[in-house]
Amino acid sequence: MLKKKIKDCFLNSPYSSTKHDSYFNTYDELFSKYIDKDITFVEIGVLNGGSLFMWKDYFGDKARIIGIDNNINAKYWEKYGFEIFIGNQSDVNFWESFKNNIGKVDIILDDGGHLDYQQAVTLFENIDNINEDGLIVIEDIHSSYMKEFGNPSKFSFTNLVTKLIDKINYRSSHLNKNLNFLKLPICEIRIFESIYAFRINKKKSGISKEVINNGKFFGFKDLRHSNTSISKAQNLIKKISFLKNIPILGSIFKNLYIKYIRDKLYTIYLKREKKKLMRKYFK
Ligand SMILES: C[S@@+](CC[C@H](N)C(=O)[O-])C[C@H]1O[C@@H](n2cnc3c(N)ncnc32)[C@H](O)[C@@H]1O
């Protein structure tokens, strides 16, 4: 059977909704696996109700569709079987009572006020209320770049997301673990045009413990550093290593060498090379 397309559901909705055309592929990509499943789907931002009908049509009758808006008029849509909650998405207390009332949900889609702190509150206040492997999706991310939303700014939602990327990467066993932000159960951040999707999965968000090997070992030489600045630094280190053999001076050098010179040389060479090779990709 052909899978339903969200754009068809949008076009068939009896009431008005406004969505960017590029979002429909993203919705299909993120949400198609939930079609005909017994899920709870929440959209922040109801307005003229059209998107509620679109979601119901798309996910099917088993889905529980909930709308949140700070406009009391949104209650109008309850008569069509939608659950509507009136509240402010930037209010932590609103989320507390919403969560107590509804319990865990599978997907939250934020199409509300689009201010950075509204997006941040929505993400952080709901992380603990998503069923394992569910999603928090924030849309209209172009607000991170728009004057009307006080951007560009160090405190844009997009800049916050780069911090979250750091948090995910810092789970690596290669990196220092003395950071206090490692416990977030976000296992994946997907970036689409104007949409960020955060997958919440506790199991997949653990700290990675070790590097492991498998199979037969051939012992082939790893050439990852050949022809890079590291190999140049290694050559220089070899050249000056004769200093270690000079009496007295040699042992001082040996200590300094291990502690400072070797690593510093690598860093100086690597940074110089990086600047030269990477600059063009940052344009
Ligand atoms: C862009 S419209 C939503 C449109 C709807 N999802 C659609 O597809 O047409 C934004 C809605 O978010 C609501 N909204 C704005 N700021 C909000 C806030 N802080 N908390 C809750 N709802 C908010 C507005 O009242 C408005 O109905």
Side-chain angles (χ1 to χ4, degrees), residues 42 66-68 85 93-103 105 108 126 129:
V42 180
I66 299 175
I68 293 176
F85 286 77
N93 295 324
F94 164 72
W95 286 115
E96 223 30 67
S97 79
F98 178 80
K99 290 187 281 189
N100 287 335
N101 210 316
I102 292 299
V105 309
I108 293 198
N126 285 292
N129 201 45

Side-chain angles (χ1 to χ4, degrees), residues 113-116 119 139-152 156-158 194:
H114 309 307
L115 289 167
D116 302 289
Q119 295 166 329
E139 71 182 36
D140 285 6
I141 289 294
H142 39 259
S143 56
S144 278
Y145 307 87
M146 291 169 67
K147 257 206 321 267
E148 295 89 313
F149 294 88
N151 287 315
S156 73
F157 185 70
T158 291
S194 287

Side-chain angles (χ1 to χ4, degrees), residues 17-19 43 45-47 51 69-70 87-89 111-113 118:
S17 157
T18 306
K19 296 286 187 191
E43 182 171 38
V46 172
L47 202 63
S51 54
D69 209 291
N70 57 358
N88 180 354
Q89 73 177 125
D111 185 20
Q118 292 171 333

Side-chain angles (χ1 to χ4, degrees), residues 51-113:
S51 54
L52 296 174
F53 289 84
M54 168 180 83
W55 298 123
K56 189 75 195 168
D57 186 13
Y58 187 65
F59 291 118
D61 285 339
K62 285 193 225 151
R64 181 180 181 191
I65 307 291
I66 299 175
I68 293 176
D69 209 291
N70 57 358
N71 185 341
I72 184 80
N73 290 341
K75 283 274 179 198
Y76 175 80
W77 303 106
E78 281 181 337
K79 67 179 178 189
Y80 293 94
F82 301 110
E83 291 172 68
I84 303 293
F85 286 77
I86 302 302
N88 180 354
Q89 73 177 125
S90 22
D91 178 0
V92 174
N93 295 324
F94 164 72
W95 286 115
E96 223 30 67
S97 79
F98 178 80
K99 290 187 281 189
N100 287 335
N101 210 316
I102 292 299
K104 291 214 170 189
V105 309
D106 297 284
I107 302 170
I108 293 198
L109 176 78
D110 177 3
D111 185 20

